[in-house]
Each structure stands twice: as structure tokens, then as C-alpha cells.
Amino acid sequence: AQWNKGQEATRESIEGMRHRLPFPLLGIDPDSGSEFVNWHLKGWCDGRGIAMTRTRPYMKNDHARIEQKNYRNVRHIVGYSRYDDPRHTLLLNDLYAVLEDYINFFVPSMVCVKKERVGSRYIRRYDTAATAYQRVLMHQDIHAEVKEKLIQKYATLNPIILKQQCDRALSKLSKIPTR
């Protein structure tokens, strides 16, 4: 979460995500919002060898999977309230830090591996449900050192404690009034 859509705030948010990744960030594919599509962010990506592509303007379904994940991972948990106090940003980021570990290490999801058209309908085939952590461990191109770090981190996590931390963060968030 960030308090504004300014260039610096957006760059700092992406830089934070980049440092939390267990492997190098190779590219970003943001939507066409003004906080993303600007020369400042393009220059930042070019300076770090990060490929930057973009969606087509006014094509809302270009990021359908991300919007689906936004609902499942954010709106479903945080809700649709408009958070209009800078204190909300800090509390949301505390919540997101816990949610990141909870979702990546303990919440499995299925990925569509094939979509075929049969008449006027589409039939989708999905792989076996797995967590993001399990997918990284199964991936052949990820270095063994990265996998070992993730295994060590996983050993320190407890889903019950993470859920309790989420609940505490949500409780603090609800105590700050919104419009």
C-alpha cells in the first residue's frame, strides 16, 4: 500500500517488492495507470536491467488473473473500505507483510495450463494445486541456494501464528476511522 500515486512512492514500492523476492526481478508488467506508465519508472527499470511492458489502455481484461488475485488476496481479507488516513498505509503494509508469507507458503492455488475452444465454449485444464513456495522448489531454473533459503524460512513459519498476526493487524486497522 502507498499513500499516493507519485513517482517516488511507486518506485519505492516496487523497490521494496524487488528486495523481498528470493530471486532477481527480471520484468514488470504493470497496468496502464499513471503511477506506472511514466519515464521515471521506465528509467529506473532500464538502469537495473528490468524489462518493462505494459497493458493496452482501456483493456480491462488484460490483467484478469491479477485482478482475480487482488480480490482473493486483498479485498476478501481487507474489504472494500476507503482508507483515507496515512496511518492506514502503515497498518496495511504490516498486514501485507504477514499475508505475503501466509499466502506464498500456505495457500495453494491452481494454474491454468491449457485453454482450448470447443464450439462456442472454452475448456480449461488446471495443474495440481500448489503453493507459490512449492512451485519455486519444483522449478528447475531456480538456484539451490535460493531454494535452501526458502526451506529455512518455511521452517520458521507457523500458519496459526501468521493468521493471528493478520487478525491483530485487521483489528488495529478497524480502530482508525474511515469516511
Side-chain angles (χ1 to χ4, degrees), residues 12-69:
E12 288 172 11
S13 293
I14 294 174
E15 186 73 46
M17 287 184 268
R18 182 174 160 240
H19 286 296
R20 287 192 312 273
L21 285 172
F23 34 74
L25 177 63
L26 301 177
I28 62 172
D29 185 27
D31 65 18
S32 55
S34 60
E35 67 272 26
F36 297 116
V37 180
N38 59 60
W39 291 110
H40 181 72
L41 186 58
K42 175 76 169 116
W44 179 85
C45 288
D46 290 345
R48 286 157 183 77
I50 298 171
M52 180 178 171
T53 59
R54 58 174 281 199
T55 60
R56 300 169 294 173
Y58 311 108
M59 302 302 273
K60 67 179 186 175
N61 287 332
D62 274 2
H63 277 302
R65 178 167 164 74
I66 291 171
E67 294 302 330
Q68 175 190 20
K69 291 294 183 183

Side-chain angles (χ1 to χ4, degrees), residues 91-117:
L91 292 173
L92 282 168
N93 284 331
D94 290 344
L95 172 64
Y96 293 160
V98 176
L99 272 177
E100 186 175 284
D101 285 341
Y102 182 73
I103 290 168
N104 287 332
F105 285 93
F106 298 105
V107 178
S109 64
M110 294 189 303
V111 175
C112 183
V113 292
K114 187 176 182 182
K115 181 175 153 181
E116 56 186 286
R117 188 178 178 116

Side-chain angles (χ1 to χ4, degrees), residues 83-89 91 170-179:
Y83 296 107
D84 52 6
D85 187 313
R87 294 175 292 176
H88 289 137
T89 306
L91 292 173
L170 283 169
S171 175
K172 288 180 189 176
L173 190 62
S174 68
K175 291 179 182 171
I176 299 174
T178 59
R179 282 189 222 171

